Amino acid sequence: MQVAILLFERLTALDAVGPYEAISRVPGVEVVFAGERTGPVRDDVGSLSLTADATLTDVPRPDVIVVPGGPGQIAHMADGPVWRWLRAADAHTTWTTSVCTGSLILAAAGLLTGRRATTHWLAMDQLAPLGAVPVEERVVTDGKYMTAAGVSAGIDMALGLVDRIAGATVAQAVQLGIEYDPSPPYAAGSPRVAPSEVVAVVQAHKRFILTGFR
Amino acid sequence: MQVAILLFERLTALDAVGPYEAISRVPGVEVVFAGERTGPVRDDVGSLSLTADATLTDVPRPDVIVVPGGPGQIAHMADGPVWRWLRAADAHTTWTTSVCTGSLILAAAGLLTGRRATTHWLAMDQLAPLGAVPVEERVVTDGKYMTAAGVSAGIDMALGLVDRIAGATVAQAVQLGIEYDPSPPYAAGSPRVAPSEVVAVVQAHKRFILTGFR
């Protein structure tokens, strides 16, 4: 089973690496990081490059697609190589998935029309205008389309995907392997539970999630 | 404030990227990925390269060190460039930290002697012979040394580190920014809670966490 993770400039690194760490440990799965060009791709903060080993044309028929988000998503909201690849590949996938604002790319490409989907909480209002049905859940599955909320939600999505692909024992083994027994220091990971003043800080610094405070 | 994240061949990518995603979003923090050489560094699964932008000699005095784990850790358990850098840099850090089996490198270099520390649950028995005091907690802090359990625990550690460095509001804002409101599909993320048959699977395939099932 081939899993293609899309890379593009100014993506959020954890959107891609979180799912990768879970999916890549499933027996028989081959993960390929693919971009418009091969070579290093710079993330949104600017301090890390991930390498695209393949071009999009190298992986025309992946079984699973993972589209990360991040501010670079904005460059892929119109017709172009990424849209053309997504549309052609999606016709043959078992699962088409996204993390964070990656769902906006899928929606803009027409793949989530009428489908329930999620995205980063700060971008939730952008789903409906793109034809998707926004759902405020951490992971949303509609048919073969699985979308995750912001950044770290890709880990939860990927474990759910492993469960669907390889069954409960493998999913739990992967979870135990990456010791995913989370213990966040605060109840602050979603706008529903975070203190209102913290929500206000992040809303006031909306670009903070996109590019860091700098 | 400069944060240096060590890269080495066959590291576990999430060990480095999890903390990066939290720490890099703190105002005034500059993160540098550093390795023995600049350029791409291949991870343990073999499908992803992260780029070292700096050599170790380029970052002699970081304020914070983050040492990831992964099977490549084994190559840095004896005197060499990584040990020499760690020992010299540690003399000036505010925080010296590790994720997963990264703590074994710190311990082998003599930096955790007599100190409480943790690591991946499968490697816990290796800490005491290296002079550290093993503690089965997700994040262990002893003085300026902060160590995390396996792979995904680096996210929890980093949020705790952000709390210490920048205060509770920034830590919560970062947590909300990366939407870290985890919802694992199973109670299987530690050997204490995972079904015994799942623990047995992972123990029988110990190398699975190290290199994937392939």
Side-chain angles (χ1 to χ4, degrees), chain A residues 8-12 44 69-77 101 105:
Chain A
F8 50 84
E9 292 291 327
R10 301 181 67 228
L11 86 162
T12 300
D44 55 348
Q73 151 260 326
I74 292 166
H76 302 287
M77 296 296 282
T101 52
I105 299 177

Side-chain angles (χ1 to χ4, degrees), chain B residues 166-188:
Chain B
T169 300
V170 172
Q172 291 175 90
V174 168
Q175 188 180 338
L176 182 57
I178 64 169
E179 208 160 342
Y180 188 51
D181 181 28
S183 178
Y186 294 100

Side-chain angles (χ1 to χ4, degrees), chain B residues 6 56 59-62 65 67 76-97 104-113 130 144-145:
Chain B
L6 178 67
L56 298 177
V59 286
R61 289 230 186 174
I65 290 172
V67 179
H76 302 287
M77 296 295 282
D79 193 26
V82 167
W83 271 26
R84 288 194 285 275
W85 175 73
L86 282 173
R87 287 169 166 169
D90 175 68
H92 304 281
T93 58
T94 309
W95 291 97
T96 295
T97 76
L104 303 182
I105 299 177
L106 291 180
L111 302 183
L112 297 179
T113 304
L130 295 168
K144 72 172 188 179
Y145 299 90

Side-chain angles (χ1 to χ4, degrees), chain B residues 22-69:
Chain B
I23 300 169
S24 66
R25 296 180 190 280
V26 174
V29 163
E30 173 212 21
V31 177
V32 180
F33 284 88
E36 286 188 59
R37 286 164 294 281
T38 58
V41 176
R42 209 70 175 172
D43 83 328
D44 55 349
V45 175
S47 298
L48 178 61
S49 291
L50 309 178
T51 301
D53 283 340
T55 65
L56 298 177
T57 50
D58 290 336
V59 286
R61 289 230 186 174
D63 300 288
V64 178
I65 290 172
V66 180
V67 179

Side-chain angles (χ1 to χ4, degrees), chain A residues 67-195:
Chain A
V67 179
Q73 151 260 326
I74 292 166
H76 302 287
M77 296 296 282
D79 193 26
V82 167
W83 271 26
R84 288 194 286 273
W85 175 73
L86 282 173
R87 287 169 166 170
D90 175 68
H92 304 282
T93 57
T94 309
W95 291 98
T96 295
T97 76
S98 66
V99 180
C100 199
T101 52
S103 61
L104 303 182
I105 299 177
L106 291 181
L111 301 182
L112 296 179
T113 304
R115 293 193 180 275
R116 300 166 71 248
T118 193
T119 188
H120 192 283
W121 64 276
L122 280 171
M124 196 64 77
D125 60 354
Q126 296 181 53
L127 276 173
L130 295 169
V133 180
V135 178
E136 289 186 4
E137 291 174 10
R138 191 152 174 86
V139 179
V140 174
T141 305
D142 186 335
K144 72 172 188 178
Y145 299 90
M146 199 179 276
T147 54
V151 193
S152 62
I155 299 172
D156 297 314
M157 181 187 80
L159 288 168
L161 188 62
V162 170
D163 190 283
R164 303 286 191 108
I165 290 170
T169 300
V170 172
Q172 289 174 94
V174 169
Q175 188 181 339
L176 182 56
I178 65 170
E179 209 161 342
Y180 187 52
D181 182 28
S183 177
Y186 294 100
S190 97
R192 287 183 297 281
V193 298

Side-chain angles (χ1 to χ4, degrees), chain B residues 129-203:
Chain B
L130 295 168
V133 180
V135 178
E136 291 187 1
E137 291 174 10
R138 191 153 174 87
V139 179
V140 174
T141 304
D142 187 336
K144 72 172 188 179
Y145 299 90
M146 199 178 275
T147 54
V151 192
S152 63
I155 299 172
D156 296 314
M157 181 188 79
L159 287 169
L161 188 61
V162 170
D163 190 283
R164 302 287 192 108
I165 290 171
T169 300
V170 172
Q172 291 175 90
V174 168
Q175 188 180 338
L176 182 57
I178 64 169
E179 208 160 342
Y180 188 51
D181 181 28
S183 178
Y186 294 100
S190 98
R192 288 184 296 281
V193 299
S196 56
E197 65 270 24
V198 172
V199 177
V201 164
V202 178
Q203 282 173 327

